[in-house]
């Protein structure tokens, strides 16, 4: 112990309503009550679809980077080593997992991490993923084939382009396709859209992916480098199998040298290829802060003050911090579900199943709705096989599909923004990208609200991963809801930490219901 008698503490300058000891006790009480609140919540179940046990050859389970045989089925010794490591959580066991190539597994031990604020990752649950043999997964895969086929169709041309018209018609024929519909059918206007309030309003892309971003002393234009049209990857079986085994891709992205505003599925796919974890939510936050006080939530206590304005609490530093901090907690929640519960295969692996089934190399229980669809026929006509064309040379990242990490952390960030900003605020000067992505044009349709465009932002980012061929629709839907639960839990733990007269955070959830925290 140090000799505290040597410290010259001087005369205390502290003032305030609490003594040091009382402050210490109150801080302890708040932390303890938050911990007890989380501890006392009912423990959820973690149901899965049962496919891992149903198929001894693990055809429905994630196995990328492990060794596979010639028809792409995983080496069972390697798969069992993965399961052993995940079951024990022993860091040494992870070092014993046999890999098939040079590509490593992406951070499976994040599934065990603890958080000090908000819900523990193991205390949140999502629905089981659609089963391999289901009509629902057939509809999802049909959508993914069409997203690959229409990557280069500008969003502004969806109503007139023959490919998007055909996609809407074909997807309408799937018995359990759960994408957005109008009058019971998929239309070019509902094609590839999310299912939350606001997703159908206005242009396909959220204003928060087009409008300029105030960034300190400068303004950032949302023109991005994107990849050239018409270049897809893993369209040969040999390359597909190499990538499943963890080999480095033989090709690299080919970039258009001209920066463009996001105008099609390939562009949004490349945006979610290179973004960082809270980029979309952070950009939206900076744009919203640029709108001024009028865009703040009515619950902000400083809107009613005549002598003060917000800063460290309820101001820009507070909001920016919450948007950024929620991303890691959301990823931990997603990684628990990915590695320790579901282990869902990636769409590129499902494409290999379709290929080997339709060429007679294997027999798999895949719905005839998909096998007989126009989507599958169009892919074969263009590429000469039934693999799912990928937008990225490396295909998917090396962790299981369900849920989407992008969807989870964006769902969390968007939820934070809805808690701090006025959801009914009308977006000023809305825009839409030209078909070539070189300029922004004025949008003149019905008003677009902050809440609707934030919901759309989450859907755009989730579905952007689908456009790339690396995620399923349900990965995004469930990921967004999981992120929302993470953010709400963090807000609950902070609710009683403020001195201001504060009535609580109010926001509209992705299912349209209102919650007050």
């Amino acid at each position: 112990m140090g000799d505290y008698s040597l410290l010259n503490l001087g005369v205390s300058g502290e003032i305030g309503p609490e003594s040091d000891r009382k402050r210490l006790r109150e801080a302890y009480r708040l932390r303890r009550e938050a911990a007890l609140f989380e501890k006392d919540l009912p423990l959820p179940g973690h149901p899965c679809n049962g496919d891992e046990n149903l198929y001894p050859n693990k055809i429905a389970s994630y196995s990328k980077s492990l060794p596979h045989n010639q028809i792409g089925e995983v080496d069972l010794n390697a798969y069992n080593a993965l399961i052993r490591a995940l079951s024990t959580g022993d860091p040494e066991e992870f070092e014993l997992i046999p890999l098939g190539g040079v590509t490593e597994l992406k951070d499976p031990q994040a599934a065990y991490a603890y958080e000090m604020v908000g819900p523990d990752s193991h205390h949140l649950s999502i629905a089981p993923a659609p089963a391999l043999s289901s009509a629902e997964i057939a509809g999802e895969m049909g959508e993914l084939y069409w997203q690959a086929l229409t990557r280069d169709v500008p969003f502004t041309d969806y109503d007139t382009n023959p490919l998007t018209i055909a996609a809407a018609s074909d997807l309408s024929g799937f018995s359990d396709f759960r994408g957005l519909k109008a009058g019971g059918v998929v239309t070019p206007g509902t094609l590839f859209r999310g299912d939350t309030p606001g997703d159908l309003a206005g242009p396909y892309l959220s204003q928060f992916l087009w409008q300029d971003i105030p960034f300190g002393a400068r303004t950032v234009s949302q023109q991005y480098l994107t990849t050239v049209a018409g270049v897809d990857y893993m369209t040969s079986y040999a390359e597909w199998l190499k990538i499943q085994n963890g080999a480095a891709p033989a090709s690299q992205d080919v970039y258009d040298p001209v920066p463009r505003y996001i105008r099609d599925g390939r562009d949004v796919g490349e945006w979610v290829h290179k973004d960082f974890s809270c980029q979309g939510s952070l950009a939206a936050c900076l744009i919203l802060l640029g709108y001024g006080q009028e865009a703040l939530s009515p619950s902000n206590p400083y809107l009613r003050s005549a002598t003060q304005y917000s800063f460290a609490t309820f101001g820009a530093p507070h909001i920016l911090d919450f948007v950024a901090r929620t991303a890691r907690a959301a990823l931990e929640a997603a990684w628990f579900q990915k590695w320790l519960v579901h282990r869902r295969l990636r769409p590129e692996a499902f494409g290999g199943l379709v290929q080997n089934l339709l060429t007679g190399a294997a027999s798999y229980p895949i719905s005839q709705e998909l096998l007989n669809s126009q989507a599958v026929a169009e892919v074969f006509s263009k590429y000469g096989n039934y693999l799912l064309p990928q937008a990225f040379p490396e295909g998917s990242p090396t962790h299981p599909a369900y849920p989407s990490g992008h969807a989870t952390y964006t769902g969390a960030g968007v939820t934070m923004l809805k808690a701090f900003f006025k959801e009914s605020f009308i977006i000023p000067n809305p825009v839409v990208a030209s078909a070539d992505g070189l300029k922004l044009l004025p949008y003149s349709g019905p008003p677009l609200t902050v809440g609707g465009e934030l919901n759309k932002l989450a859907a755009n980012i989730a579905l952007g991963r689908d456009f790339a061929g690396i995620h399923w629709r349900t990965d995004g839907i469930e990921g967004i809801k999981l992120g929302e639960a993470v953010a709400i839990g963090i807000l609950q733990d902070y609710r009683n930490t403020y001195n201001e007269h504060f009535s609580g955070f109010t926001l509209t959830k992705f299912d349209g219901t209102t919650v007050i925290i």
Side-chain angles (χ1 to χ4, degrees):
M1 294 180 62
D3 186 352
Y4 291 101
S5 65
L6 298 179
L7 294 177
N8 181 8
L9 299 178
V11 178
S12 174
E14 178 183 350
I15 62 172
E18 297 176 328
S19 67
D20 287 349
R21 187 165 296 280
K22 183 178 179 183
R23 174 76 184 191
L24 184 66
R25 288 197 300 267
E26 183 65 7
Y28 171 75
R29 182 189 68 80
L30 287 170
R31 294 187 183 198
R32 183 174 183 274
E33 287 184 358
L36 288 173
F37 172 80
E38 299 292 346
K39 174 180 176 291
D40 292 340
L41 290 174
L43 287 171
H46 296 295
C48 62
N49 62 21
D51 278 355
E52 185 175 51
N53 292 329
L54 182 62
Y55 302 110
N57 53 0
K58 309 305 177 187
I59 55 172
S61 301
Y62 173 84
S63 62
K64 187 173 180 177
S65 285
L66 304 182
H68 298 75
N69 64 18
Q70 194 57 36
I71 58 171
E73 293 182 3
V74 67
D75 178 277
L76 291 179
N77 289 328
Y79 191 82
N80 290 335
L82 171 65
I83 296 301
R84 183 164 54 252
L86 292 170
S87 298
T88 64
D90 183 349
E92 297 302 321
E93 291 285 351
F94 286 96
E95 300 303 317
L96 301 178
I97 299 170
L99 300 181
V102 298
T103 308
E104 299 168 324
L105 299 172
K106 195 166 190 176
D107 200 12
Q109 293 188 67
Y112 309 102
Y114 290 93
E115 271 300 317
M116 300 303 290
V117 179
D120 181 65
S121 62
H122 294 217
H123 211 150
L124 298 171
S125 185
I126 60 176
L132 183 79
S133 62
S134 67
E136 183 179 0
I137 205 172
E140 289 197 30
M141 190 66 181
E143 181 178 43
L144 287 165
Y145 278 128
W146 279 116
Q147 285 179 296
L149 291 163
T150 59
R151 278 186 189 125
D152 299 317
V153 177
F155 296 130
T156 55
D157 293 352
Y158 270 29
D159 286 341
T160 57
N161 188 279
L163 277 175
T164 46
I165 292 171
S169 175
D170 189 40
L171 291 174
S172 295
F174 283 86
S175 64
D176 198 16
F177 177 65
R178 303 191 186 185
L180 205 59
K181 298 176 182 178
V185 298
V186 182
T187 70
T190 67
L191 190 65
F192 310 142
R193 296 221 182 200
D195 63 353
T196 63
D199 278 316
L200 268 186
Y204 180 88
L205 211 67
S206 171
Q207 293 297 302
F208 297 114
L209 289 170
W210 275 330
Q211 292 205 0
D212 289 348
I213 304 169
F215 198 82
R218 63 167 297 185
T219 299
V220 177
S221 167
Q222 293 211 61
Q223 288 178 298
Y224 300 99
L225 289 178
T226 189
T227 46
V228 298
V231 179
D232 297 314
Y233 301 97
M234 267 194 273
T235 56
S236 77
Y237 189 81
E239 178 70 3
W240 173 85
L241 186 60
K242 284 172 54 182
I243 297 295
Q244 302 317 298
N245 282 324
S251 305
Q252 292 184 333
D253 279 316
V254 181
Y255 283 92
D256 180 346
V258 179
R260 298 177 191 269
Y261 295 103
I262 299 173
R263 66 320 185 10
D264 57 29
R266 188 177 299 277
D267 290 356
V268 71
E270 185 57 25
W271 191 94
V272 296
H273 192 195
K274 301 298 185 184
D275 65 316
F276 57 84
S277 59
C278 62
Q279 182 173 332
S281 301
L282 180 61
C285 186
L286 293 170
I287 292 169
L288 287 166
L289 288 170
Y291 293 157
Q293 274 200 146
E294 294 79 8
L296 292 173
S297 169
S299 68
N300 189 306
Y302 287 97
L303 295 180
R304 299 181 293 278
S305 175
T307 61
Q308 310 160 78
Y309 66 92
S310 59
F311 190 62
T313 53
F314 301 100
H318 187 180
I319 305 169
L320 289 164
D321 171 58
F322 272 33
V323 167
R325 76 160 51 196
T326 196
R328 179 175 176 270
L331 282 173
E332 290 168 350
W335 253 240
F336 162 64
Q337 297 290 336
K338 282 174 179 287
W339 286 109
L340 299 187
V341 182
H342 301 285
R343 293 178 292 282
R344 186 186 193 183
L345 81 168
R346 291 280 180 166
E348 69 191 53
F350 194 99
L353 299 180
V354 176
Q355 167 70 12
N356 284 315
L357 172 60
L358 290 180
T359 58
S363 178
Y364 299 126
I366 295 173
S367 170
Q368 289 295 320
E369 289 186 11
L370 175 65
L371 303 179
N372 297 331
S373 68
Q374 186 180 349
V376 167
E378 291 283 349
V379 165
F380 184 81
S381 175
K382 183 172 182 179
Y383 297 99
N385 59 52
Y386 304 100
L387 299 170
L388 177 63
Q390 299 288 298
F392 309 156
E394 74 280 10
S396 74
T398 52
H399 51 83
Y402 191 68
S404 161
H406 271 72
T408 307
Y409 62 62
T410 305
V414 160
T415 301
M416 284 295 184
L417 292 173
K418 288 192 285 188
F420 282 97
F421 290 97
K422 186 178 182 180
E423 293 181 64
S424 61
F425 184 81
I426 302 300
I427 301 285
N429 305 313
V431 294
V432 60
S434 60
D436 60 9
L438 294 179
K439 56 182 177 294
L440 293 175
L441 306 170
Y443 163 73
S444 57
L448 304 175
T449 65
V450 163
E453 291 301 289
L454 285 173
N455 286 342
K456 194 189 294 180
L457 174 66
N460 288 157
I461 290 175
L463 288 161
R465 302 288 276 181
D466 298 10
F467 269 116
I470 67 172
H471 267 299
W472 306 91
R473 173 175 278 271
T474 42
D475 296 346
I477 290 172
E478 291 298 323
I480 287 171
K481 292 191 291 186
L482 179 62
E484 178 181 72
V486 170
I488 287 174
I490 293 172
L491 290 169
Q492 286 172 327
D493 281 0
Y494 274 98
R495 166 64 181 86
N496 295 320
T497 64
Y498 309 114
N499 188 70
E500 296 88 345
H501 289 298
F502 177 50
S503 60
F505 299 103
T506 301
L507 61 96
T508 307
K509 296 177 65 176
F510 290 112
D511 64 6
T513 61
T514 300
V515 62
I516 301 174
I517 303 165

